Amino acid sequence: MSELEKIAAEVRACTRCILHRGRTQAVPGEGPGDAQIVFIGEAPGFHEDQQGRPFVGAAGRLLEDLLSSIGLSREQVYITNIIKCRPPANRDPLPEEVAACNPYLDRQLAALRPRLVVTLGRFSMARFFPQARISKIHGQPRRVGGLICYPLYHPAAALHQPSLRRVVEEDFRRIPDVLAKAEQVAEYEPPPQAEQLRLF
Ligand code: URA
């Protein structure tokens, strides 16, 4: 059994947080073990919970269209989420749920060693860029903790806010270029303390 399969088996049996009680199935993630790009969404929704697969609902269809716009299919990339079980009524993940699930994502990334991590939405962005605002940093690749991370808006945001659709499409179209120039990507510098404090 590969490390990714081992992690998936553990995720399917996981009881580390309360979300296991309401799930139909956990959604570990899927894709080839040698994928160059990993996409990280937020959490499974209704259809993902039913099927045990990530991004199979409306946001998934948009993700597939976006992938095909850059000549990729979902079978060529690894797709997973920050949390692997569906929150009730699709509410936002709680910090303790994210913390409980984090070790699985850490292990998936260690096993995959991708050239590029694309975060979809603010919850997965926050994993790599805490305190950052997606409106400020989307579409700007940065090196974080040995990975090159490219924060994008979530495809579901583009479905709900038509004005974001073009932004998501344009950021997505730059993925091949970001991948080609990965070696030149600068290290992330968190905003200065003063700016962080102003947020509160
Ligand atoms: N939205 C996500 O963030 N993840 C999924 O798997 C599906 C929808």
Side-chain angles (χ1 to χ4, degrees):
M1 194 190 275
S2 72
E3 172 66 2
L4 284 171
E5 287 167 342
K6 198 160 161 266
I7 299 163
E10 287 178 41
V11 166
R12 287 192 194 99
C14 181
T15 56
R16 282 188 203 169
C17 83
I18 196 171
L19 295 181
H20 79 277
R21 294 203 198 139
R23 75 181 173 219
T24 311
Q25 300 182 61
V27 182
E30 65 185 27
D34 60 354
Q36 289 203 337
I37 313 179
V38 174
F39 288 84
I40 308 176
E42 181 177 319
F46 174 83
H47 295 285
E48 291 78 21
D49 172 76
Q50 292 288 310
Q51 297 181 36
R53 299 182 56 208
F55 282 95
V56 289
R61 279 191 293 282
L62 178 52
L63 179 60
E64 285 174 23
D65 287 349
L66 291 164
L67 282 168
S68 97
S69 76
I70 54 168
L72 289 174
S73 68
R74 65 179 289 149
E75 289 76 25
Q76 291 173 284
V77 298
Y78 196 88
I79 305 175
T80 189
N81 285 301
I82 280 286
I83 60 169
K84 317 296 195 200
C85 295
R86 183 189 182 206
N90 299 340
R91 66 151 166 74
D92 287 348
L94 300 175
E96 59 267 31
E97 293 159 359
V98 175
C101 224
N102 241 335
Y104 295 124
L105 185 59
D106 284 342
R107 286 169 60 197
Q108 288 174 318
L109 292 172
L112 286 157
R113 294 166 43 85
R115 285 195 65 206
L116 184 66
V117 172
V118 180
T119 61
L120 301 172
R122 59 200 172 90
F123 285 92
S124 59
M125 174 198 71
R127 163 79 161 54
F128 300 95
F129 307 99
Q131 318 285 352
R133 294 194 175 193
I134 198 158
S135 56
K136 276 201 173 171
I137 71 159
H138 73 90
Q140 297 170 32
R142 284 288 178 266
R143 204 176 285 275
V144 187
L147 291 165
I148 293 158
C149 300
Y150 188 49
L152 300 193
Y153 280 104
H154 196 289
L159 290 174
H160 297 133
Q161 290 180 63
S163 61
L164 279 185
R165 175 123 184 185
R166 179 130 18 112
V167 178
V168 174
E169 287 171 355
E170 281 172 10
D171 286 348
F172 224 90
R173 250 193 308 256
R174 290 187 48 229
I175 289 177
D177 194 46
V178 171
L179 199 57
K181 298 193 180 128
E183 284 69 33
Q184 297 157 34
V185 169
E187 195 77 32
Y188 176 60
E189 290 192 24
Q193 194 70 7
E195 192 175 325
Q196 286 181 28
L197 290 174
R198 269 208 308 275
L199 298 174
F200 296 99

